[in-house]
Amino acid sequence: MRSLLNTLRLMLKELRAIRRDRVMAVLILYVFTVATWMVANAASTEIRDLAVAVVDEDRSPLSHRLTDAIRPPLFQEAPVLSPEAAAAAQLEGRYVLVLSIPPDFERDLRSGHAPKLMLLVDATAMAQAGNGATFLQQLLADELQDYADPGGHGTAPVDVVFRNRFNPNLTATWFTSVMQLMNNVTILTLILSGAAMIREREQGTIEHVLVMPVRPHEIVLSKILASGLVILLASVASLVTVIHWGLGVPLTNSLGLYVLGAAVYVVAVGSIGLLLATFTRNMGQFGLLVIPVIIVMLLLSGGVTPLESMPDWMQAVIRTVSPAPHFVAFAQSVLYRDAGFAQVAGELLRMAAMAALALSVVLVRFRKVLSG
């Protein structure tokens, strides 16, 4: 009981220090509101109002029909240009896609020949080029199929029906906003927990703490719990207000389960941040050390690129040394798929094991630093 009271008192001290640090308070507010909103809306890979031009050398009813089919909201109204004007416009970057319809296209199609449409793609715009070309190809195929079989009387051997689950409209904001929230939790937990230790050293107050009747594990726990509590409350508030109310992303009924998993995760990441701080003497050194750790944790978490696209050995390594991929998998299951405790118990246990291991290493390292 005495140890618990000491930890709570030290935790209150850390919370007061965070409250007095106005720069950190503004950073937390900005990251969980403005930054989350901007990334969710600006980093979208959805196809909307894509610039397309048409080179119509056929001038037939079918070519006009294909041109008229290119319309909002996926594409902008497609102007008809000459081959030279279209090439110059794409060279200037004004059109991502240029559809070229050859002469006598409709006549050759009616004659049973196999005429070809040429689609020129500006591949420097990777996401728009790939997704836009796929959407336009499907649109043209549907129009040509309807032209060849107006009543739809042709019978296909297989009728494949797609139904998108968990994100029926394929809205990128639903994914990017939540993944940005996960990244914010990782970054700020690492920085805030490590900064708590560095602040004590730079201000010379660590000596005052050491002469108090407290033990090393109480100091470590207070710093991790204080920073974790601030980040946890800020992330839940951002999830409800910015992501759910502001961006319109639906939330499942498992918010309480998410809070449990996020609490375990911030303890694990906070322990890592505090461990890094024990190897540095000032904020400059800590910043240089924490930046590559943040980059690796974010890029290999599965929130930026799928883990399945990485080599098997890298997947095994990152799942062993980092809690980030387990938290991303946990958050996606809970917030998107409304998974219950049974479905995410494995990820929770892995994060808890990593948190216990990281906390044990921090305690050993922290005692060595104090004795030194």
Side-chain angles (χ1 to χ4, degrees):
M1 183 60 67
R2 181 183 296 276
S3 180
L4 179 59
L5 291 176
N6 289 340
T7 303
L8 291 177
R9 292 189 183 101
L10 290 172
M11 183 177 170
L12 290 176
K13 179 185 74 69
E14 295 296 330
L15 291 174
R16 293 190 189 99
I18 295 173
R19 185 186 62 182
R20 289 194 300 268
D21 191 342
R22 296 184 179 180
V23 175
M24 184 62 71
V26 171
L27 177 62
I28 294 173
L29 180 62
Y30 168 79
V31 164
F32 283 108
T33 54
V34 178
T36 302
W37 180 282
M38 291 176 62
V39 171
N41 285 281
S44 174
T45 57
E46 291 180 342
I47 299 303
R48 183 173 297 275
D49 295 327
L50 192 63
V52 183
V54 175
V55 176
D56 187 0
E57 298 182 289
D58 187 29
R59 302 288 180 176
S60 65
L62 177 58
S63 66
H64 290 304
R65 176 175 177 171
L66 294 179
T67 303
D68 293 338
I70 304 173
R71 55 182 180 267
L74 294 180
F75 307 99
Q76 299 178 8
E77 295 288 345
V80 178
L81 305 177
S82 65
E84 296 78 12
Q90 197 168 39
L91 185 63
E92 296 171 359
R94 287 189 286 146
Y95 296 102
V96 177
L97 304 174
V98 173
L99 173 64
S100 179
I101 304 176
D104 302 325
F105 175 75
E106 184 176 14
R107 186 181 67 181
D108 291 343
L109 187 64
R110 286 183 172 276
S111 301
H113 299 152
K116 295 183 179 180
L117 295 172
M118 182 170 64
L119 186 61
L120 301 174
V121 183
D122 180 2
T124 58
M126 289 295 296
Q128 290 184 322
N131 297 337
T134 301
F135 276 101
L136 185 57
Q137 183 180 10
Q138 183 62 47
L139 182 148
L140 295 174
D142 291 342
E143 287 294 326
L144 291 173
Q145 176 64 30
D146 187 62
Y147 173 81
D149 186 15
H153 301 298
T155 58
V158 176
D159 184 17
V160 180
V161 178
F162 291 93
R163 287 186 174 87
N164 302 311
R165 301 184 65 191
F166 316 121
N167 188 355
N169 295 325
L170 299 179
T171 306
T173 303
W174 289 20
F175 178 80
T176 54
S177 59
V178 175
M179 289 303 100
Q180 181 60 25
L181 181 66
M182 305 299 102
N183 295 340
N184 293 341
V185 169
T186 302
I187 295 172
L188 286 182
T189 304
L190 278 172
I191 294 176
L192 199 59
S193 59
M197 174 63 69
I198 302 298
R199 184 172 54 244
E200 296 273 15
R201 285 184 175 182
E202 292 184 339
Q203 296 177 356
T205 56
I206 187 67
E207 289 80 5
H208 299 166
V209 176
L210 295 179
V211 298
M212 296 172 60
V214 295
R215 287 175 285 184
H217 75 271
E218 296 168 357
I219 301 174
V220 170
L221 287 176
S222 65
K223 294 183 180 301
I224 294 175
L225 293 178
S227 59
L229 179 61
V230 171
I231 299 302
L232 183 62
L233 293 177
S235 66
V236 173
S238 176
L239 182 65
V240 174
T241 59
V242 178
I243 295 178
H244 180 50
W245 293 348
L247 296 173
V249 179
L251 295 181
T252 64
N253 297 322
S254 303
L255 186 59
L257 183 58
Y258 165 78
V259 173
L260 174 62
V264 176
Y265 179 69
V266 296
V267 171
V269 177
S271 301
I272 295 174
L274 203 57
L275 177 63
L276 296 177
T278 62
F279 291 97
T280 59
R281 295 184 177 275
N282 53 59
M283 284 300 297
Q285 293 179 358
F286 177 71
L288 292 175
L289 184 59
V290 80
I291 286 175
V293 175
I294 289 175
I295 292 174
V296 171
M297 289 186 68
L298 296 189
L299 292 183
L300 302 183
S301 67
V304 178
T305 56
L307 285 176
E308 293 77 9
S309 64
M310 303 176 192
D312 293 339
W313 65 267
M314 184 175 292
Q315 294 183 41
V317 170
I318 198 64
R319 289 181 186 274
T320 303
V321 302
S322 173
H326 303 290
F327 182 54
V328 169
F330 166 84
Q332 289 179 350
S333 298
V334 171
L335 296 179
Y336 291 141
R337 308 183 190 102
D338 199 14
F341 182 82
Q343 286 78 26
V344 296
E347 302 295 346
L348 271 175
L349 289 176
R350 295 182 185 95
M351 287 192 293
M354 289 185 176
L357 178 61
L359 196 57
S360 301
V361 175
V362 168
L363 288 174
V364 173
R365 177 63 188 170
F366 189 68
R367 289 190 178 95
K368 289 183 179 180
V369 171
L370 293 182
S371 62

